[in-house]
Amino acid sequence: MLAAMLAMVWSGPGLAQSGLGVQARVLEEGSALTASRDAITLRLALSQPVPFRVRMLANPPRLVVDANTLDWGAAGLGADRARQGPVGAVRMGHLPDGWARMVVDLTAPFALRRSEQRVSEETGRAVIHLDLQRVALEEFERLAQSEAEFASRTSPALLHPDAPALPPTGNAERKPLVMLDPGHGGIDPGAERGGVREADLVLDFARELREVLLRRGVFEVGMTRNADDFVSLDGRIRAARAAGADLLLSLHADALPEGIATGTVVYLLGDEASDDSAAYLAERHDRADLLAGVDLSRNTDEIARVLMSVAWQDTAPRARALADALVAGMGAADIRLHRRPVQSGAFTVLRAVDMPSALIELGFMSSPRDLANLQDSTWRQRMAESIADGLEIWHREDLAQQALRRH
Ligand SMILES: [Zn+2]
């Protein structure tokens, strides 16, 4: 029996994330359970890859999918789904050990023909795809596992309609993870004025902001760099994904050519620069990558592709709301803002399609007043608190918006 067991455990980069308390979510869009008389297909679209295993159980026939640390979210595959052909009830829940389980009752014998998980390099999202085909009873019984054997090795939860359903674990306590991205570093010092380097200023500020956020206890915090290291712009996005970040905040304090207004600006991704400064800053940040030998020849195409993608239609309003909330938090703390505090440009570091991101120019080192603020610990503390306020405002609104979208 065991030799014929149809099981597959995926292991890869996703495994490393399970230790961080970051949970993959089932995404409603792209997830479906469809069935005809002879074929059943289950597609689970996931926010990130997960280890999973698939079993067929006999007496009665059932499909059991277990996945590590997965939030079923609004999967829409459950009780309200119309029953189709050989598919009976579907039960979803969580096991005491942190695994999530889906049990699909079948009214006929089926065998697993395909079981795979594909991960999109572009978005970091994954799709688990299972194909089942109707088979003769003898073949099914040869392939399927007995429930007693299965239950002796794992939890019996959800295997029957009356098996206790466990409350979802983890997700309620899961804190969103903010990825802080101190700009520049290593061979790229960023702007420099009077012996002060942007790379150092923003790293110090990121550490202070991390302290404020952790002290408040609402967010987990990651950093794309925590030393004077060069990290490519794509490397920063990859670091955010690897940590399972919910949003990315890139922190800068660039210098602008003389005569340009000052004050804090929050930048979002856009195909056209909102003004000359935005174009200048986006180009300048790319230049550091080019100097480090990173190939950015396809960058414009990549950004255009992100802006056209379906996923971006979800992410763009969330990023806009993030920028508005940050500006509201800063405004309430009397931080002096640029006359157009939310702007956009083709910033490579903001092109993650799967999480909202924003780039904050805390101030401009080219402005003596901004530079003095950036070096003033009292001002920096006020700025950090105001960003934390903005993030908390955004998080509350974002949760409410996501709940609305599910209904
Ligand atoms: Zn910068």
Side-chain angles (χ1 to χ4, degrees):
M1 274 303 169
L2 270 177
M5 193 169 75
L6 288 160
M8 166 180 168
V9 174
W10 184 88
S11 64
L15 269 178
Q17 294 165 21
S18 47
L20 294 172
V22 174
Q23 208 171 18
R25 273 186 338 275
V26 176
L27 308 170
E28 194 164 9
E29 189 180 338
S31 295
L33 175 60
T34 55
S36 65
R37 184 184 172 279
D38 294 321
I40 299 171
T41 298
L42 174 63
R43 274 176 58 94
L44 292 173
L46 309 176
S47 59
Q48 63 189 59
V50 293
F52 75 104
R53 52 190 184 219
V54 183
R55 302 282 193 286
M56 301 302 301
L57 296 189
N59 299 318
R62 277 154 294 170
L63 165 70
V64 181
V65 182
D66 286 351
N68 200 354
T69 54
L70 181 66
D71 171 10
W72 290 113
L77 303 164
D80 54 339
R81 180 192 49 85
R83 292 192 179 195
Q84 302 174 3
V87 172
V90 177
R91 293 179 292 283
M92 286 176 281
H94 294 83
L95 309 183
D97 59 3
W99 282 65
R101 172 170 290 170
M102 170 187 281
V103 180
V104 181
D105 288 345
L106 305 172
T107 58
F110 277 78
L112 194 62
R113 292 295 184 230
R114 177 157 82 124
S115 167
E116 65 175 23
Q117 176 167 236
R118 293 205 174 167
V119 184
S120 159
E121 256 181 55
E122 185 190 338
T123 65
R125 292 183 178 182
V127 177
I128 291 177
H129 192 133
L130 307 181
D131 281 335
L132 288 81
Q133 195 177 30
R134 189 165 183 145
V135 292
L137 191 58
E138 305 82 74
E139 184 183 351
F140 174 75
E141 286 180 341
R142 191 164 48 76
L143 294 171
Q145 219 176 340
S146 86
E147 183 181 320
E149 184 186 310
F150 179 72
S152 71
R153 302 171 62 230
T154 175
S155 163
L158 298 163
L159 295 180
H160 298 284
D162 53 354
L166 294 156
T169 55
N171 197 46
E173 298 108 62
R174 181 175 109 65
K175 294 175 187 172
L177 193 146
V178 179
M179 198 67 170
L180 298 180
D181 172 44
H184 311 279
I187 58 161
D188 168 25
E192 293 177 274
R193 282 292 185 281
V196 181
R197 301 163 21 144
E198 180 188 359
D200 300 332
L201 268 185
V202 294
L203 178 56
D204 287 346
F205 181 79
R207 288 171 175 156
E208 291 164 10
L209 176 55
R210 182 180 59 178
E211 287 305 303
V212 169
L213 289 169
L214 292 177
R215 177 160 41 74
R216 292 189 180 201
V218 178
F219 298 98
E220 298 288 348
V221 182
M223 288 176 52
T224 55
R225 71 176 177 95
N226 195 6
D228 188 22
D229 295 330
F230 175 81
V231 185
S232 72
L233 298 173
D234 268 344
R236 294 165 192 263
I237 297 175
R238 281 198 303 275
R241 284 193 184 125
D246 293 277
L247 71 147
L248 175 83
L249 271 194
S250 195
L251 302 166
H252 287 260
D254 284 274
L256 288 174
E258 293 305 313
I260 295 176
T262 59
T264 305
V265 190
V266 181
Y267 288 96
L268 298 170
L269 184 68
D271 46 358
E272 276 178 37
S274 51
D275 68 8
D276 289 349
S277 307
Y280 170 85
L281 292 169
E283 192 272 333
R284 194 176 144 66
H285 290 160
D286 277 1
R287 201 165 56 201
D289 263 25
L290 291 172
L291 288 175
V294 179
D295 176 17
L296 283 174
S297 54
R298 291 165 56 238
N299 199 32
T300 312
D301 292 349
E302 283 288 329
I303 288 177
R305 205 153 58 85
V306 165
L307 293 170
M308 296 285 288
S309 69
V310 175
W312 186 249
Q313 309 315 312
D314 285 338
T315 304
R318 296 180 66 212
R320 177 72 210 200
L322 173 63
D324 289 343
L326 287 169
V327 164
M330 292 168 189
D334 265 340
I335 297 286
R336 201 166 59 93
L337 297 162
H338 189 278
R339 61 186 165 78
R340 282 183 62 195
V342 179
Q343 297 203 39
S344 59
F347 291 91
T348 300
V349 77
L350 301 182
R351 74 176 182 201
V353 77
D354 50 337
M355 73 183 90
S357 46
L359 184 150
I360 305 178
E361 290 284 357
L362 300 163
F364 292 97
M365 288 177 70
S366 42
S367 148
R369 181 152 63 158
D370 284 5
L371 182 57
N373 282 338
L374 289 161
Q375 294 176 281
D376 172 5
S377 62
T378 309
W379 182 89
R380 285 206 309 267
Q381 188 67 24
R382 190 152 53 93
M383 177 59 118
E385 297 283 352
S386 78
I387 291 175
D389 288 343
L391 287 173
E392 287 186 27
I393 296 169
W394 174 78
H395 177 52
R396 275 194 304 272
E397 287 174 356
D398 193 57
L399 281 180
Q401 283 294 326
Q402 293 198 15
L404 272 180
R405 252 175 270 147
R406 270 182 215 145
H407 292 113

